[in-house]
Amino acid sequence: MRFVAPSREFLAETLLAAGPDAPTLCEGWKTRHLLAHLHLRENSPRVALGLAVKALAPATDQAIEELASTLDDGPYVKLVEQFRAGPSRFSPWGIPAVAELANLAEYFVHAEDIRRAGDRWAPRALDDSYAEALWADLVKRAALLYRGVDLGIVLVRPNGPRHVARRAPDSVAILGDPAELMLHAYGRASHALVSFEGQPDAVALLRSATLGA
């Protein structure tokens, strides 16, 4: 839980600063929709299941839309504060191991979904230990996040560490800091500060691929 709690706090502050109708990088969502997603994910087992099971996605989308429609200024602030406080002690999301596994990337990526949706933004200066935690989390998930790419994928950090996410005859190396590599892997490619090394046709294929969980 070392990084999950401060990541939740940062995300809550980002939501408050943006207000309910700010743009996000999540297609079709304003900040009110993102907040509804975060709340229902932790408090509605049906919605949580719908995020993992494609057949249930329409019902999940409807639940998010219905809650988002109620989140004008006052209710929005109240729900942000409820999110900030965390799940109830009886919720599985309150179990430290579950929270660490499920929320580290979730909170980081969604905070950047808000920050980078505007015209002016800059990458955050992250503590080295936080960056290492993001890298370790990404390494565990990289094969899944790049499963839809018919290429070999190698993630490369500026200071040397690398991870082979997929193996294939044609490969592309993606170079960047852990935070930027994570954003790319989660489908925020156009807002991730990364560079590529590989054959032009392979890089073009990667640029056109659908990424993320």
Side-chain angles (χ1 to χ4, degrees):
M1 292 289 286
R2 178 183 177 188
F3 299 106
V4 171
S7 295
R8 179 189 287 270
E9 177 70 19
F10 184 87
L11 177 52
E13 285 296 323
T14 304
L15 285 162
L16 281 178
D21 293 309
T24 76
L25 298 184
C26 302
E27 185 176 356
W29 279 8
K30 296 181 178 180
T31 39
R32 64 173 66 224
H33 298 90
L34 182 50
L35 176 58
H37 158 79
L38 291 165
H39 172 77
L40 292 172
R41 174 177 173 267
E42 292 186 341
N43 295 280
S44 170
R46 179 173 62 87
V47 168
L49 183 62
L51 294 171
V53 180
K54 189 174 182 179
L56 300 178
T60 295
D61 292 343
Q62 182 178 353
I64 291 171
E65 188 65 44
E66 289 176 354
L67 178 56
S69 70
T70 71
L71 297 179
D72 295 325
D73 291 341
Y76 178 85
V77 170
K78 184 177 180 180
L79 196 62
V80 170
E81 294 302 337
Q82 186 174 336
F83 167 73
R84 187 203 300 269
S88 73
R89 61 176 180 167
F90 301 109
S91 169
W93 296 93
I95 300 171
V98 174
E100 190 76 25
L101 179 65
N103 290 334
L104 184 65
E106 178 85 6
Y107 294 167
F108 174 78
V109 170
H110 282 324
E112 295 305 299
D113 282 336
I114 302 168
R115 293 184 67 253
R116 301 192 185 203
D119 293 332
R120 296 181 179 181
W121 58 267
R124 290 158 60 190
L126 302 181
D127 180 86
D128 287 346
S129 56
Y130 185 30
E132 290 298 333
L134 293 177
W135 171 254
D137 191 88
L138 176 59
V139 165
K140 289 187 293 188
R141 304 173 192 270
L144 174 65
L145 295 169
Y146 286 102
R147 70 193 184 284
V149 183
D150 191 21
L151 291 167
I153 299 293
V154 184
L155 306 177
V156 183
R157 297 173 56 177
N159 59 347
R162 58 179 57 214
H163 172 68
V164 178
R166 286 181 57 86
R167 297 184 184 275
D170 296 318
S171 295
V172 173
I174 309 172
L175 293 76
D177 290 326
E180 305 303 324
L181 292 171
M182 175 167 279
L183 289 168
H184 184 274
Y186 275 85
R188 279 67 172 180
S190 61
H191 291 79
L193 302 179
V194 299
S195 59
F196 307 101
E197 291 184 358
Q199 294 297 320
D201 55 345
V203 172
L205 179 60
L206 176 60
R207 289 183 185 276
S208 66
T210 300
L211 307 177

